[in-house]
């Protein structure tokens, strides 16, 4: 990447009044119609960006795929993965995002970004606005899908000469804007690396490795702190919309100016940006629906367990009362015989 000497003012340019943005948007009826249907929160965020008041979230699905498009910016994706994995990586292939068809509703496993590295390992990078319940179980399914993809590919390639030793590791990285409750016990830790270990100390190679990045925890930890490392720089880019923070970022890490130059170009094309925002809202609605379904299912399960415990307690109390009645009846019979 070429070094740049740039600051945020040069990137954003002069501020544009919201009314001017809306006038430009009205020239494109379809785009303006999309804007009018946005919730007030997103209308304000859209206008704040177009007017030059703040940046746009890189975690928005459509924005993320635009900024980290492997066809245009493979080197950018390599730099991000190198920071997240704490090792130099080189991408040799970009794989299709669609995977195995699942039985449930006939849906497919669709990943956000999937690449093959120089050492032949596969890396799946996921971006999630809301950390779903039991994220490890969900990511296990993604890893299993990737392993089966590799198994089928290599088995077809080598036929009877295939061996399991030909399989390469799978690395699953999930970036969570709002991490799930499982991570609450680690408020000062924002990145977790994990793989299979054995209580005996046995060492066996495993095909899967998982990395969880809690962006909300990172934001809390980095409050009022300077950006010092490449990892902190990338996570800052993924978490901040503050122009002052972005200015600090590109002064210390000038390579990031290229990212924000691309993003701020959309300020002059609000009629295009509005369609990207429309995708953002659609994804957010689906994620919110899924989260609410998960929460309702968990609440139903909890109520069911409580009901069973309550019934069991009542049954136990009833048996105890019945035994007491039998005991008192027996004693009464003895007294009556006297």
């Amino acid at each position: 990447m070429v070094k740049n000497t740039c600051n945020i003012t040069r990137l954003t340019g002069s501020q544009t009044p919201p009314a001017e943005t809306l006038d430009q948007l009205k020239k494109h009826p379809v785009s303006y119609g999309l804007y009018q249907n946005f919730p007030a929160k997103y209308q304000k965020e859209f206008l704040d960006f177009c007017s030059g008041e703040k940046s746009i979230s890189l975690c928005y699905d459509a924005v993320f795929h635009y900024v980290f498009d492997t066809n245009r910016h493979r080197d950018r994706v390599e730099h991000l993965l190198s920071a997240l994995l704490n090792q130099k990586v080189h991408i040799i292939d970009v794989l299709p995002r669609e995977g195995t068809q699942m039985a449930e509703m006939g849906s497919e496993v669709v990943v956000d970004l999937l690449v093959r590295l120089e050492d032949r390992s596969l890396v799946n990078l996921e971006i999630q606005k809301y950390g779903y319940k039991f994220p490890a179980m969900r990511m296990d399914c993604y890893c299993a899908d990737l392993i089966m993809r590799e198994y089928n590919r290599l088995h077809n390639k080598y036929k009877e000469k295939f061996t399991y030793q030909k399989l390469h590791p799978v690395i699953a990285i999930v970036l969570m804007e709002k991490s799930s409750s499982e991570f609450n016990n680690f408020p000062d830790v924002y990145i977790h690396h994990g793989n299979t270990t054995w209580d005996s100390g046995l060492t066996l190679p495993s095909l899967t490795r998982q990395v969880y990045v809690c962006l909300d925890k990172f934001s809390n930890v980095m409050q009022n702190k300077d950006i010092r490392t490449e990892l902190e720089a990338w996570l800052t880019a993924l978490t901040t919309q503050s122009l002052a923070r972005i200015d600090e970022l590109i002064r210390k890490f000038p390579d990031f100016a290229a990212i924000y130059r691309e993003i701020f170009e959309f300020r002059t094309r609000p009629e295009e940006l509005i369609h990207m925002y429309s995708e953002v809202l659609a994804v957010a609605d689906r994620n919110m629906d899924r989260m609410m379904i998960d929460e309702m299912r968990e609440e139903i399960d909890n109520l069911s367990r409580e009901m069973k415990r309550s019934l069991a307690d009542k049954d136990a109390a009833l048996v105890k009362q019945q035994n007491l009645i039998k005991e008192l009846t027996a004693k009464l019979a003895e007294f009556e015989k006297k």
Side-chain angles (χ1 to χ4, degrees), residues 176 183 186 189-194 210-214 217:
M176 296 180 291
F183 299 92
F186 308 92
V189 180
Y190 52 82
I191 187 164
H192 304 261
H193 297 264
Q210 296 185 359
V211 182
Y212 294 94
V213 184
C214 306
K217 302 289 191 284

Side-chain angles (χ1 to χ4, degrees), residues 63-285:
V63 180
F64 183 85
H65 288 129
Y66 178 81
V67 170
F68 297 104
D69 182 348
T70 48
N71 294 317
R72 297 185 302 118
H73 299 299
R74 184 172 293 196
D75 60 333
R76 185 178 292 172
V77 178
E78 288 177 341
H79 281 77
L80 172 60
L81 293 180
S82 295
L84 292 172
L85 297 175
N86 195 29
Q87 66 184 66
K88 185 71 174 178
V89 304
H90 176 61
I91 296 171
I92 62 171
D93 195 14
V94 179
L95 282 71
R97 295 171 57 202
E98 295 77 15
T100 307
Q101 191 170 39
M102 306 291 282
E104 182 184 358
M105 296 184 293
S107 60
E108 288 182 323
V109 174
V110 181
V111 300
D112 282 333
L113 187 151
L114 181 61
V115 296
R116 190 185 304 281
L117 303 185
E118 196 169 27
D119 63 2
R120 312 303 297 178
S121 60
L122 295 182
V123 177
N124 166 213
L125 179 62
E126 291 292 309
I127 181 75
Q128 294 182 10
K129 188 167 185 64
Y130 303 102
Y132 294 118
K133 300 294 182 182
F134 311 112
M137 297 177 184
R138 182 169 183 256
M139 290 308 291
D140 280 344
C141 292
Y142 277 70
C143 288
D145 173 68
L146 298 181
I147 290 172
M148 287 310 301
R149 286 199 212 189
E150 280 296 276
Y151 173 86
N152 291 330
R153 183 182 71 85
L154 293 170
H155 198 277
N156 290 334
K157 178 180 179 180
Y158 292 103
K159 307 297 182 182
E160 67 276 1
K161 293 183 179 180
F162 169 81
T163 65
Y164 285 98
Q165 283 71 28
K166 294 186 182 296
L167 290 170
H168 300 288
V170 169
I171 304 171
I173 306 172
V174 55
L175 306 169
M176 296 180 291
E177 269 197 90
K178 296 182 180 179
S179 49
S180 54
S181 59
E182 290 85 353
F183 299 92
N184 289 344
N185 291 331
F186 308 92
D188 298 325
V189 180
Y190 52 82
I191 187 164
H192 304 261
H193 297 264
N195 51 28
T196 302
T197 59
W198 303 88
D199 59 356
S200 63
L202 176 68
T203 302
L204 288 175
S206 173
L207 284 177
T208 60
R209 174 183 168 192
Q210 296 185 359
V211 182
Y212 294 94
V213 184
C214 306
L215 297 177
D216 51 349
K217 302 289 191 284
F218 170 79
S219 295
N220 293 335
V221 169
M222 287 296 290
Q223 281 185 358
N224 304 318
K225 290 186 179 180
D226 292 334
I227 306 166
R228 297 165 299 175
T229 67
E230 288 279 349
L231 176 61
E232 290 176 351
W234 280 108
L235 297 186
T236 297
L238 289 168
T239 54
T240 190
Q241 293 175 250
S242 164
L243 298 187
R245 192 64 160 168
I246 293 170
D247 186 55
E248 177 192 351
L249 173 63
I250 62 178
R251 287 179 185 278
K252 293 184 176 180
F253 297 87
D255 288 349
F256 283 84
I259 293 177
Y260 287 101
R261 185 176 292 109
E262 283 187 26
I263 290 174
F264 288 125
E265 282 178 358
F266 277 106
R267 287 188 56 215
T268 62
R269 308 197 304 274
E271 67 278 4
E272 294 180 27
L273 179 64
I274 202 73
H275 289 277
M276 190 177 289
Y277 255 87
S278 183
E279 291 182 39
V280 167
L281 282 175
V283 171
D285 286 344

